[in-house]
Each structure stands twice: as structure tokens, then as C-alpha cells.
Amino acid sequence: MDIDPLSDTVPPRYAIESDEEEDEVNPLGVKSPQPEDVKIEVKILGGITPGKCLAIASGDAGNFWAKGADLGEQTASVLVNGVQVGLVFNPKWTQSNVIISEVLSKLPLYAMHPYATNILESVKPKSVSLLDSYPFPTYASDTTTAFHEAPLRYLSTSENTEFLDKEAELYSPPNLLQSTSASFLSILGISDVPGTLVLLPSPHIPQPSPKQISPSNFSHLAQDDVEWPAHLVNTAQKLVFHALGESTTRSWQPRDGGTKEKPPKRTTEIGEGGMYI
């Protein structure tokens, strides 16, 4: 009969408890608010005509596109908990409402869905088209491509994607999007409103979403983390508005030959200061 000489011994202390301080409950510790505890209030200030088509350009792609899109004067603002996140324009060259989103302040994950829901319920668009970017360095693909050859990519809730397939490639699994554009598209996917997302390739891996909403930073408008070639931006613009049923003939042109921009002049009193782009 085999006898285990250690069977009757007491297990070492580290096997049943830890001496690490972080494992102990601190009754004086301050509990940070959880996302479900944060109330999200979305307001649209200014004039925006409901029932029209809607184009939304977000983040770095939206910031860069806006500088050469001749959007005119800002007509409204979208505020999230008092912070200006969306800038609304009504350019003369399109029948659609245009929102430049998250160029002044980024949204936390828990605020993206309420933001998208409120805009769609308030504006009641006939169709929605979005412009954003995707991280080229982490995009999983069967083929190897240099960044300067990286294609436009798209996602769409519409069955008519022939015009997209001619100029862009599908944003395919296992790649995922964790952005406000994805929130818009997920809501549109279960509605009767068609939605299309066109993605410019970015050489940068995006920073994690912030834990809270920061005040608007107007200095971001003068910064371009990525400068896309004009032909690529023009193609993206064409696809965005084609998805809205428009064949715009206006060409996108970078200001001052693509040089850095000074912060736009504030010309209205919408939200935290209006924009003229």
C-alpha cells in the first residue's frame, strides 16, 4: 500500500490566501462611477432640417475631409453632456445634412450608442452615409499590401453595393470596428433606413476610447494625423454621396495645397463656438 507522506500536512499559506494588498478590501476606497451609472444627455442646438439624407464624417477622416469640402458655416451643434461632439453643416452643393463628428472630443464606448440613437431619432434621415477610417497595420487580410496601395473599404446595410465594389473592398471578418460609426451602422441594420460606411485606410492604430467625455479641444481642427491623397478622398466622397442617391460633381480639394490649417474662425454662437470650414 502506497502512503503519501504529505497527505496529512497543512497546505502552505500561499495556497489558500494572498498577502497582496490589492486583494484586501479597502473600506475607505473611492469607487469610480461605472458606465451604467453615467447619464448621457444628447442635445441638438441650432437648425437642422429633418427628413433629409444624412452624411456623417468622423474622427481623423472627418477632420481631413472637412477642410477641403467647402461645407460653409456651421448651422447646428450636437452636444453630449454639454460638450460639443458633432458640428452640423448644410453645404450648397448637396441636399443632405452633414455632420462632422468627434473631431473636437472623442466619445467613450458607453456614450456612442446613445449619441447615434439620438441623432437618428431627431434627424429622421431617409438614408445615412458615413465616412471614417480603419487601422491598416492591424487589418487582417489574406493578401499583403503596402500602405500606399491600401484600398478603401466599406460596410453597408443595403443590398445594392455594385457601385461600392468597383471602387472599394468589403471590410470583412474577423476585423471588427469599435467606433461611433459602428454604432450608427448597427442601429441602421435593424431599421428601414439604409446605411453605408466608407473607410479610409489609416497608418495608425487607434487609441483606446476615453473613459469620460473631455471638453471640446478646438486645436484638434488644425492637426492632421494623416494626410490622404486627394484622389483617394475624392473617391471616398463620391461613394459617400452616391450611397445617398446624389451624384455630386464637386471636387474635394485640400486647402493651400494640403498645408496645415490654422484653427477655423468662430463665426456663430452655437454650442461652444461655431465653425466655418
Side-chain angles (χ1 to χ4, degrees):
M1 178 177 178
D2 295 332
I3 299 176
D4 183 358
L6 301 179
S7 60
D8 296 329
T9 60
V10 178
R13 182 168 179 251
Y14 65 78
I16 57 175
E17 62 179 296
S18 172
D19 290 331
E20 296 293 334
E21 293 182 359
E22 59 265 24
D23 291 339
E24 299 177 4
V25 178
N26 180 6
L28 301 180
V30 179
K31 181 181 178 181
S32 59
Q34 299 299 309
E36 58 269 19
D37 299 330
V38 180
K39 181 180 179 181
I40 302 299
E41 184 179 27
V42 182
K43 291 183 178 180
I44 299 180
L45 302 182
I48 182 168
T49 305
K52 300 169 64 175
C53 292
L54 177 61
I56 304 172
S58 300
D60 292 339
N63 187 24
F64 189 74
W65 174 73
K67 294 177 180 179
D70 190 21
L71 298 178
E73 187 174 352
Q74 181 184 352
T75 58
S77 290
V78 185
L79 307 183
V80 181
N81 290 2
V83 176
Q84 186 171 206
V85 176
L87 299 89
V88 183
F89 297 88
N90 296 107
K92 297 179 180 179
W93 52 268
T94 175
Q95 299 298 313
S96 303
N97 291 313
V98 175
I99 297 179
I100 305 300
S101 181
E102 293 185 276
V103 297
L104 302 178
S105 181
K106 302 292 185 183
L107 289 174
L109 284 173
Y110 59 82
M112 293 177 180
H113 192 80
Y115 173 78
T117 299
N118 187 280
I119 288 177
L120 294 176
E121 290 179 350
S122 301
V123 179
K124 296 178 173 58
K126 296 185 297 182
S127 180
V128 179
S129 195
L130 304 111
L131 177 67
D132 210 330
S133 61
Y134 71 93
F136 172 76
T138 58
Y139 186 84
S141 175
D142 293 335
T143 59
T144 302
T145 307
F147 174 70
H148 69 275
E149 298 176 340
L152 294 170
R153 296 191 180 274
Y154 77 89
L155 286 170
S156 181
T157 65
S158 174
E159 295 181 359
N160 179 21
T161 60
E162 291 183 7
F163 71 97
L164 291 164
D165 292 326
K166 294 178 181 178
E167 304 280 2
E169 297 181 14
L170 184 66
Y171 191 87
S172 57
N175 299 283
L176 298 175
L177 285 176
Q178 291 185 322
S179 64
T180 308
S181 295
S183 291
F184 276 104
L185 211 60
S186 67
I187 297 170
L188 294 169
I190 56 174
S191 74
D192 296 328
V193 179
T196 297
L197 170 60
V198 178
L199 297 162
L200 287 162
S202 172
H204 303 307
I205 299 173
Q207 296 292 326
S209 298
K211 294 183 178 180
Q212 59 186 7
I213 304 171
S214 301
S216 299
N217 187 342
F218 288 89
S219 66
H220 290 169
L221 295 173
Q223 302 170 357
D224 288 324
D225 291 335
V226 187
E227 292 192 359
W228 286 278
H231 76 274
L232 194 65
V233 180
N234 269 296
T235 301
Q237 175 181 269
K238 180 179 70 174
L239 295 178
V240 165
F241 286 93
H242 189 150
L244 298 177
E246 295 189 34
S247 298
T248 176
T249 58
R250 190 200 172 278
S251 177
W252 181 90
Q253 295 179 350
R255 287 185 180 179
D256 299 329
T259 57
K260 299 292 182 182
E261 290 293 306
K262 295 181 180 179
K265 180 182 178 182
R266 302 186 185 187
T267 59
T268 66
E269 295 300 327
I270 299 174
E272 301 171 46
M275 295 286 99
Y276 192 92
I277 298 180

mmCIF file with all atom_site columns, all heavy atoms in Angstrom, residues 27-48:
data_model
loop_
_atom_site.group_PDB
_atom_site.id
_atom_site.type_symbol
_atom_site.label_atom_id
_atom_site.label_alt_id
_atom_site.label_comp_id
_atom_site.label_asym_id
_atom_site.label_entity_id
_atom_site.label_seq_id
_atom_site.pdbx_PDB_ins_code
_atom_site.Cartn_x
_atom_site.Cartn_y
_atom_site.Cartn_z
_atom_site.occupancy
_atom_site.B_iso_or_equiv
_atom_site.pdbx_formal_charge
_atom_site.auth_seq_id
_atom_site.auth_comp_id
_atom_site.auth_asym_id
_atom_site.auth_atom_id
_atom_site.pdbx_PDB_model_num
ATOM 1   N N   . PRO A 1 27 ? -11.999 49.695 2.929   1.00 0.00 ? 27 PRO A N   1
ATOM 2   C CA  . PRO A 1 27 ? -13.303 50.330 3.207   1.00 0.00 ? 27 PRO A CA  1
ATOM 3   C C   . PRO A 1 27 ? -13.301 51.811 2.886   1.00 0.00 ? 27 PRO A C   1
ATOM 4   O O   . PRO A 1 27 ? -14.364 52.413 2.753   1.00 0.00 ? 27 PRO A O   1
ATOM 5   C CB  . PRO A 1 27 ? -13.503 50.067 4.700   1.00 0.00 ? 27 PRO A CB  1
ATOM 6   C CG  . PRO A 1 27 ? -12.117 49.889 5.249   1.00 0.00 ? 27 PRO A CG  1
ATOM 7   C CD  . PRO A 1 27 ? -11.335 49.219 4.150   1.00 0.00 ? 27 PRO A CD  1
ATOM 8   N N   . LEU A 1 28 ? -12.143 52.433 2.792   1.00 0.00 ? 28 LEU A N   1
ATOM 9   C CA  . LEU A 1 28 ? -12.051 53.867 2.522   1.00 0.00 ? 28 LEU A CA  1
ATOM 10  C C   . LEU A 1 28 ? -11.843 54.160 1.047   1.00 0.00 ? 28 LEU A C   1
ATOM 11  O O   . LEU A 1 28 ? -11.715 55.314 0.652   1.00 0.00 ? 28 LEU A O   1
ATOM 12  C CB  . LEU A 1 28 ? -10.896 54.482 3.325   1.00 0.00 ? 28 LEU A CB  1
ATOM 13  C CG  . LEU A 1 28 ? -10.995 54.331 4.851   1.00 0.00 ? 28 LEU A CG  1
ATOM 14  C CD1 . LEU A 1 28 ? -9.788  54.973 5.510   1.00 0.00 ? 28 LEU A CD1 1
ATOM 15  C CD2 . LEU A 1 28 ? -12.283 54.955 5.372   1.00 0.00 ? 28 LEU A CD2 1
ATOM 16  N N   . GLY A 1 29 ? -11.782 53.097 0.218   1.00 0.00 ? 29 GLY A N   1
ATOM 17  C CA  . GLY A 1 29 ? -11.539 53.292 -1.207  1.00 0.00 ? 29 GLY A CA  1
ATOM 18  C C   . GLY A 1 29 ? -12.692 54.025 -1.879  1.00 0.00 ? 29 GLY A C   1
ATOM 19  O O   . GLY A 1 29 ? -13.852 53.836 -1.529  1.00 0.00 ? 29 GLY A O   1
ATOM 20  N N   . VAL A 1 30 ? -12.345 54.842 -2.863  1.00 0.00 ? 30 VAL A N   1
ATOM 21  C CA  . VAL A 1 30 ? -13.347 55.592 -3.617  1.00 0.00 ? 30 VAL A CA  1
ATOM 22  C C   . VAL A 1 30 ? -13.741 54.792 -4.855  1.00 0.00 ? 30 VAL A C   1
ATOM 23  O O   . VAL A 1 30 ? -12.889 54.438 -5.672  1.00 0.00 ? 30 VAL A O   1
ATOM 24  C CB  . VAL A 1 30 ? -12.805 56.979 -4.036  1.00 0.00 ? 30 VAL A CB  1
ATOM 25  C CG1 . VAL A 1 30 ? -13.867 57.717 -4.849  1.00 0.00 ? 30 VAL A CG1 1
ATOM 26  C CG2 . VAL A 1 30 ? -12.413 57.772 -2.805  1.00 0.00 ? 30 VAL A CG2 1
ATOM 27  N N   . LYS A 1 31 ? -15.000 54.520 -4.995  1.00 0.00 ? 31 LYS A N   1
ATOM 28  C CA  . LYS A 1 31 ? -15.490 53.742 -6.138  1.00 0.00 ? 31 LYS A CA  1
ATOM 29  C C   . LYS A 1 31 ? -15.742 54.678 -7.311  1.00 0.00 ? 31 LYS A C   1
ATOM 30  O O   . LYS A 1 31 ? -16.498 55.637 -7.199  1.00 0.00 ? 31 LYS A O   1
ATOM 31  C CB  . LYS A 1 31 ? -16.781 53.012 -5.755  1.00 0.00 ? 31 LYS A CB  1
ATOM 32  C CG  . LYS A 1 31 ? -17.342 52.153 -6.884  1.00 0.00 ? 31 LYS A CG  1
ATOM 33  C CD  . LYS A 1 31 ? -18.630 51.485 -6.459  1.00 0.00 ? 31 LYS A CD  1
ATOM 34  C CE  . LYS A 1 31 ? -19.220 50.665 -7.593  1.00 0.00 ? 31 LYS A CE  1
ATOM 35  N NZ  . LYS A 1 31 ? -20.492 50.016 -7.194  1.00 0.00 ? 31 LYS A NZ  1
ATOM 36  N N   . SER A 1 32 ? -15.078 54.401 -8.426  1.00 0.00 ? 32 SER A N   1
ATOM 37  C CA  . SER A 1 32 ? -15.281 55.227 -9.612  1.00 0.00 ? 32 SER A CA  1
ATOM 38  C C   . SER A 1 32 ? -16.617 54.864 -10.253 1.00 0.00 ? 32 SER A C   1
ATOM 39  O O   . SER A 1 32 ? -17.055 53.716 -10.200 1.00 0.00 ? 32 SER A O   1
ATOM 40  C CB  . SER A 1 32 ? -14.149 55.002 -10.628 1.00 0.00 ? 32 SER A CB  1
ATOM 41  O OG  . SER A 1 32 ? -14.093 53.657 -11.013 1.00 0.00 ? 32 SER A OG  1
ATOM 42  N N   . PRO A 1 33 ? -17.280 55.860 -10.857 1.00 0.00 ? 33 PRO A N   1
ATOM 43  C CA  . PRO A 1 33 ? -18.586 55.585 -11.468 1.00 0.00 ? 33 PRO A CA  1
ATOM 44  C C   . PRO A 1 33 ? -18.472 54.607 -12.624 1.00 0.00 ? 33 PRO A C   1
ATOM 45  O O   . PRO A 1 33 ? -17.557 54.680 -13.431 1.00 0.00 ? 33 PRO A O   1
ATOM 46  C CB  . PRO A 1 33 ? -19.031 56.972 -11.956 1.00 0.00 ? 33 PRO A CB  1
ATOM 47  C CG  . PRO A 1 33 ? -17.772 57.766 -12.083 1.00 0.00 ? 33 PRO A CG  1
ATOM 48  C CD  . PRO A 1 33 ? -16.868 57.248 -11.018 1.00 0.00 ? 33 PRO A CD  1
ATOM 49  N N   . GLN A 1 34 ? -19.401 53.677 -12.682 1.00 0.00 ? 34 GLN A N   1
ATOM 50  C CA  . GLN A 1 34 ? -19.440 52.707 -13.758 1.00 0.00 ? 34 GLN A CA  1
ATOM 51  C C   . GLN A 1 34 ? -20.207 53.285 -14.942 1.00 0.00 ? 34 GLN A C   1
ATOM 52  O O   . GLN A 1 34 ? -21.031 54.181 -14.782 1.00 0.00 ? 34 GLN A O   1
ATOM 53  C CB  . GLN A 1 34 ? -20.102 51.410 -13.265 1.00 0.00 ? 34 GLN A CB  1
ATOM 54  C CG  . GLN A 1 34 ? -19.357 50.743 -12.125 1.00 0.00 ? 34 GLN A CG  1
ATOM 55  C CD  . GLN A 1 34 ? -17.948 50.343 -12.514 1.00 0.00 ? 34 GLN A CD  1
ATOM 56  O OE1 . GLN A 1 34 ? -17.736 49.687 -13.535 1.00 0.00 ? 34 GLN A OE1 1
ATOM 57  N NE2 . GLN A 1 34 ? -16.979 50.736 -11.704 1.00 0.00 ? 34 GLN A NE2 1
ATOM 58  N N   . PRO A 1 35 ? -19.943 52.782 -16.168 1.00 0.00 ? 35 PRO A N   1
ATOM 59  C CA  . PRO A 1 35 ? -20.638 53.307 -17.344 1.00 0.00 ? 35 PRO A CA  1
ATOM 60  C C   . PRO A 1 35 ? -22.146 53.318 -17.202 1.00 0.00 ? 35 PRO A C   1
ATOM 61  O O   . PRO A 1 35 ? -22.809 54.256 -17.641 1.00 0.00 ? 35 PRO A O   1
ATOM 62  C CB  . PRO A 1 35 ? -20.181 52.348 -18.454 1.00 0.00 ? 35 PRO A CB  1
ATOM 63  C CG  . PRO A 1 35 ? -18.835 51.878 -18.028 1.00 0.00 ? 35 PRO A CG  1
ATOM 64  C CD  . PRO A 1 35 ? -18.915 51.799 -16.527 1.00 0.00 ? 35 PRO A CD  1
ATOM 65  N N   . GLU A 1 36 ? -22.701 52.259 -16.560 1.00 0.00 ? 36 GLU A N   1
ATOM 66  C CA  . GLU A 1 36 ? -24.156 52.220 -16.430 1.00 0.00 ? 36 GLU A CA  1
ATOM 67  C C   . GLU A 1 36 ? -24.679 53.273 -15.464 1.00 0.00 ? 36 GLU A C   1
ATOM 68  O O   . GLU A 1 36 ? -25.878 53.558 -15.430 1.00 0.00 ? 36 GLU A O   1
ATOM 69  C CB  . GLU A 1 36 ? -24.611 50.825 -15.971 1.00 0.00 ? 36 GLU A CB  1
ATOM 70  C CG  . GLU A 1 36 ? -24.007 50.362 -14.650 1.00 0.00 ? 36 GLU A CG  1
ATOM 71  C CD  . GLU A 1 36 ? -22.722 49.577 -14.836 1.00 0.00 ? 36 GLU A CD  1
ATOM 72  O OE1 . GLU A 1 36 ? -22.115 49.689 -15.917 1.00 0.00 ? 36 GLU A OE1 1
ATOM 73  O OE2 . GLU A 1 36 ? -22.344 48.834 -13.912 1.00 0.00 ? 36 GLU A OE2 1
ATOM 74  N N   . ASP A 1 37 ? -23.776 53.864 -14.660 1.00 0.00 ? 37 ASP A N   1
ATOM 75  C CA  . ASP A 1 37 ? -24.189 54.901 -13.719 1.00 0.00 ? 37 ASP A CA  1
ATOM 76  C C   . ASP A 1 37 ? -24.121 56.295 -14.337 1.00 0.00 ? 37 ASP A C   1
ATOM 77  O O   . ASP A 1 37 ? -24.608 57.255 -13.739 1.00 0.00 ? 37 ASP A O   1
ATOM 78  C CB  . ASP A 1 37 ? -23.290 54.866 -12.471 1.00 0.00 ? 37 ASP A CB  1
ATOM 79  C CG  . ASP A 1 37 ? -23.382 53.535 -11.734 1.00 0.00 ? 37 ASP A CG  1
ATOM 80  O OD1 . ASP A 1 37 ? -24.459 52.919 -11.799 1.00 0.00 ? 37 ASP A OD1 1
ATOM 81  O OD2 . ASP A 1 37 ? -22.389 53.119 -11.115 1.00 0.00 ? 37 ASP A OD2 1
ATOM 82  N N   . VAL A 1 38 ? -23.508 56.437 -15.499 1.00 0.00 ? 38 VAL A N   1
ATOM 83  C CA  . VAL A 1 38 ? -23.330 57.740 -16.127 1.00 0.00 ? 38 VAL A CA  1
ATOM 84  C C   . VAL A 1 38 ? -24.524 58.046 -17.025 1.00 0.00 ? 38 VAL A C   1
ATOM 85  O O   . VAL A 1 38 ? -24.848 57.280 -17.935 1.00 0.00 ? 38 VAL A O   1
ATOM 86  C CB  . VAL A 1 38 ? -22.026 57.784 -16.957 1.00 0.00 ? 38 VAL A CB  1
ATOM 87  C CG1 . VAL A 1 38 ? -21.858 59.152 -17.604 1.00 0.00 ? 38 VAL A CG1 1
ATOM 88  C CG2 . VAL A 1 38 ? -20.829 57.465 -16.069 1.00 0.00 ? 38 VAL A CG2 1
ATOM 89  N N   . LYS A 1 39 ? -25.173 59.162 -16.778 1.00 0.00 ? 39 LYS A N   1
ATOM 90  C CA  . LYS A 1 39 ? -26.305 59.568 -17.590 1.00 0.00 ? 39 LYS A CA  1
ATOM 91  C C   . LYS A 1 39 ? -25.811 60.304 -18.825 1.00 0.00 ? 39 LYS A C   1
ATOM 92  O O   . LYS A 1 39 ? -24.990 61.210 -18.734 1.00 0.00 ? 39 LYS A O   1
ATOM 93  C CB  . LYS A 1 39 ? -27.244 60.474 -16.790 1.00 0.00 ? 39 LYS A CB  1
ATOM 94  C CG  . LYS A 1 39 ? -28.477 60.914 -17.569 1.00 0.00 ? 39 LYS A CG  1
ATOM 95  C CD  . LYS A 1 39 ? -29.367 61.809 -16.730 1.00 0.00 ? 39 LYS A CD  1
ATOM 96  C CE  . LYS A 1 39 ? -30.582 62.268 -17.521 1.00 0.00 ? 39 LYS A CE  1
ATOM 97  N NZ  . LYS A 1 39 ? -31.462 63.167 -16.705 1.00 0.00 ? 39 LYS A NZ  1
ATOM 98  N N   . ILE A 1 40 ? -26.284 59.909 -19.994 1.00 0.00 ? 40 ILE A N   1
ATOM 99  C CA  . ILE A 1 40 ? -25.882 60.536 -21.249 1.00 0.00 ? 40 ILE A CA  1
ATOM 100 C C   . ILE A 1 40 ? -27.037 61.398 -21.765 1.00 0.00 ? 40 ILE A C   1
ATOM 101 O O   . ILE A 1 40 ? -28.133 60.897 -22.006 1.00 0.00 ? 40 ILE A O   1
ATOM 102 C CB  . ILE A 1 40 ? -25.495 59.484 -22.315 1.00 0.00 ? 40 ILE A CB  1
ATOM 103 C CG1 . ILE A 1 40 ? -24.357 58.602 -21.797 1.00 0.00 ? 40 ILE A CG1 1
ATOM 104 C CG2 . ILE A 1 40 ? -25.101 60.158 -23.610 1.00 0.00 ? 40 ILE A CG2 1
ATOM 105 C CD1 . ILE A 1 40 ? -23.085 59.343 -21.487 1.00 0.00 ? 40 ILE A CD1 1
ATOM 106 N N   . GLU A 1 41 ? -26.775 62.677 -21.902 1.00 0.00 ? 41 GLU A N   1
ATOM 107 C CA  . GLU A 1 41 ? -27.775 63.615 -22.408 1.00 0.00 ? 41 GLU A CA  1
ATOM 108 C C   . GLU A 1 41 ? -27.284 64.194 -23.733 1.00 0.00 ? 41 GLU A C   1
ATOM 109 O O   . GLU A 1 41 ? -26.235 64.835 -23.795 1.00 0.00 ? 41 GLU A O   1
ATOM 110 C CB  . GLU A 1 41 ? -28.015 64.737 -21.406 1.00 0.00 ? 41 GLU A CB  1
ATOM 111 C CG  . GLU A 1 41 ? -29.120 65.692 -21.822 1.00 0.00 ? 41 GLU A CG  1
ATOM 112 C CD  . GLU A 1 41 ? -29.355 66.789 -20.802 1.00 0.00 ? 41 GLU A CD  1
ATOM 113 O OE1 . GLU A 1 41 ? -28.407 67.129 -20.076 1.00 0.00 ? 41 GLU A OE1 1
ATOM 114 O OE2 . GLU A 1 41 ? -30.478 67.305 -20.730 1.00 0.00 ? 41 GLU A OE2 1
ATOM 115 N N   . VAL A 1 42 ? -28.033 63.942 -24.795 1.00 0.00 ? 42 VAL A N   1
ATOM 116 C CA  . VAL A 1 42 ? -27.669 64.412 -26.131 1.00 0.00 ? 42 VAL A CA  1
ATOM 117 C C   . VAL A 1 42 ? -28.663 65.483 -26.558 1.00 0.00 ? 42 VAL A C   1
ATOM 118 O O   . VAL A 1 42 ? -29.887 65.275 -26.487 1.00 0.00 ? 42 VAL A O   1
ATOM 119 C CB  . VAL A 1 42 ? -27.674 63.257 -27.151 1.00 0.00 ? 42 VAL A CB  1
ATOM 120 C CG1 . VAL A 1 42 ? -27.245 63.750 -28.534 1.00 0.00 ? 42 VAL A CG1 1
ATOM 121 C CG2 . VAL A 1 42 ? -26.751 62.134 -26.686 1.00 0.00 ? 42 VAL A CG2 1
ATOM 122 N N   . LYS A 1 43 ? -28.143 66.625 -26.981 1.00 0.00 ? 43 LYS A N   1
ATOM 123 C CA  . LYS A 1 43 ? -28.987 67.727 -27.439 1.00 0.00 ? 43 LYS A CA  1
ATOM 124 C C   . LYS A 1 43 ? -28.479 68.242 -28.776 1.00 0.00 ? 43 LYS A C   1
ATOM 125 O O   . LYS A 1 43 ? -27.267 68.283 -29.015 1.00 0.00 ? 43 LYS A O   1
ATOM 126 C CB  . LYS A 1 43 ? -28.977 68.877 -26.431 1.00 0.00 ? 43 LYS A CB  1
ATOM 127 C CG  . LYS A 1 43 ? -29.679 68.592 -25.120 1.00 0.00 ? 43 LYS A CG  1
ATOM 128 C CD  . LYS A 1 43 ? -29.672 69.834 -24.235 1.00 0.00 ? 43 LYS A CD  1
ATOM 129 C CE  . LYS A 1 43 ? -30.408 69.581 -22.923 1.00 0.00 ? 43 LYS A CE  1
ATOM 130 N NZ  . LYS A 1 43 ? -30.411 70.799 -22.061 1.00 0.00 ? 43 LYS A NZ  1
ATOM 131 N N   . ILE A 1 44 ? -29.393 68.640 -29.641 1.00 0.00 ? 44 ILE A N   1
ATOM 132 C CA  . ILE A 1 44 ? -29.035 69.290 -30.900 1.00 0.00 ? 44 ILE A CA  1
ATOM 133 C C   . ILE A 1 44 ? -29.474 70.745 -30.810 1.00 0.00 ? 44 ILE A C   1
ATOM 134 O O   . ILE A 1 44 ? -30.664 71.033 -30.649 1.00 0.00 ? 44 ILE A O   1
ATOM 135 C CB  . ILE A 1 44 ? -29.701 68.604 -32.104 1.00 0.00 ? 44 ILE A CB  1
ATOM 136 C CG1 . ILE A 1 44 ? -29.232 67.146 -32.208 1.00 0.00 ? 44 ILE A CG1 1
ATOM 137 C CG2 . ILE A 1 44 ? -29.394 69.350 -33.397 1.00 0.00 ? 44 ILE A CG2 1
ATOM 138 C CD1 . ILE A 1 44 ? -29.836 66.365 -33.361 1.00 0.00 ? 44 ILE A CD1 1
ATOM 139 N N   . LEU A 1 45 ? -28.520 71.653 -30.882 1.00 0.00 ? 45 LEU A N   1
ATOM 140 C CA  . LEU A 1 45 ? -28.786 73.085 -30.807 1.00 0.00 ? 45 LEU A CA  1
ATOM 141 C C   . LEU A 1 45 ? -28.592 73.705 -32.178 1.00 0.00 ? 45 LEU A C   1
ATOM 142 O O   . LEU A 1 45 ? -27.572 73.476 -32.822 1.00 0.00 ? 45 LEU A O   1
ATOM 143 C CB  . LEU A 1 45 ? -27.856 73.757 -29.792 1.00 0.00 ? 45 LEU A CB  1
ATOM 144 C CG  . LEU A 1 45 ? -27.909 73.244 -28.341 1.00 0.00 ? 45 LEU A CG  1
ATOM 145 C CD1 . LEU A 1 45 ? -26.951 74.050 -27.475 1.00 0.00 ? 45 LEU A CD1 1
ATOM 146 C CD2 . LEU A 1 45 ? -29.321 73.317 -27.784 1.00 0.00 ? 45 LEU A CD2 1
ATOM 147 N N   . GLY A 1 46 ? -29.562 74.503 -32.616 1.00 0.00 ? 46 GLY A N   1
ATOM 148 C CA  . GLY A 1 46 ? -29.443 75.138 -33.927 1.00 0.00 ? 46 GLY A CA  1
ATOM 149 C C   . GLY A 1 46 ? -30.401 74.509 -34.918 1.00 0.00 ? 46 GLY A C   1
ATOM 150 O O   . GLY A 1 46 ? -31.235 73.672 -34.576 1.00 0.00 ? 46 GLY A O   1
ATOM 151 N N   . GLY A 1 47 ? -30.251 74.916 -36.163 1.00 0.00 ? 47 GLY A N   1
ATOM 152 C CA  . GLY A 1 47 ? -31.175 74.469 -37.190 1.00 0.00 ? 47 GLY A CA  1
ATOM 153 C C   . GLY A 1 47 ? -30.682 73.278 -37.979 1.00 0.00 ? 47 GLY A C   1
ATOM 154 O O   . GLY A 1 47 ? -29.586 73.302 -38.534 1.00 0.00 ? 47 GLY A O   1
ATOM 155 N N   . ILE A 1 48 ? -31.484 72.225 -38.006 1.00 0.00 ? 48 ILE A N   1
ATOM 156 C CA  . ILE A 1 48 ? -31.196 71.066 -38.839 1.00 0.00 ? 48 ILE A CA  1
ATOM 157 C C   . ILE A 1 48 ? -32.531 70.529 -39.357 1.00 0.00 ? 48 ILE A C   1
ATOM 158 O O   . ILE A 1 48 ? -33.458 70.276 -38.581 1.00 0.00 ? 48 ILE A O   1
ATOM 159 C CB  . ILE A 1 48 ? -30.413 69.973 -38.074 1.00 0.00 ? 48 ILE A CB  1
ATOM 160 C CG1 . ILE A 1 48 ? -30.090 68.799 -39.005 1.00 0.00 ? 48 ILE A CG1 1
ATOM 161 C CG2 . ILE A 1 48 ? -31.131 69.532 -36.832 1.00 0.00 ? 48 ILE A CG2 1
ATOM 162 C CD1 . ILE A 1 48 ? -29.077 67.826 -38.395 1.00 0.00 ? 48 ILE A CD1 1
#
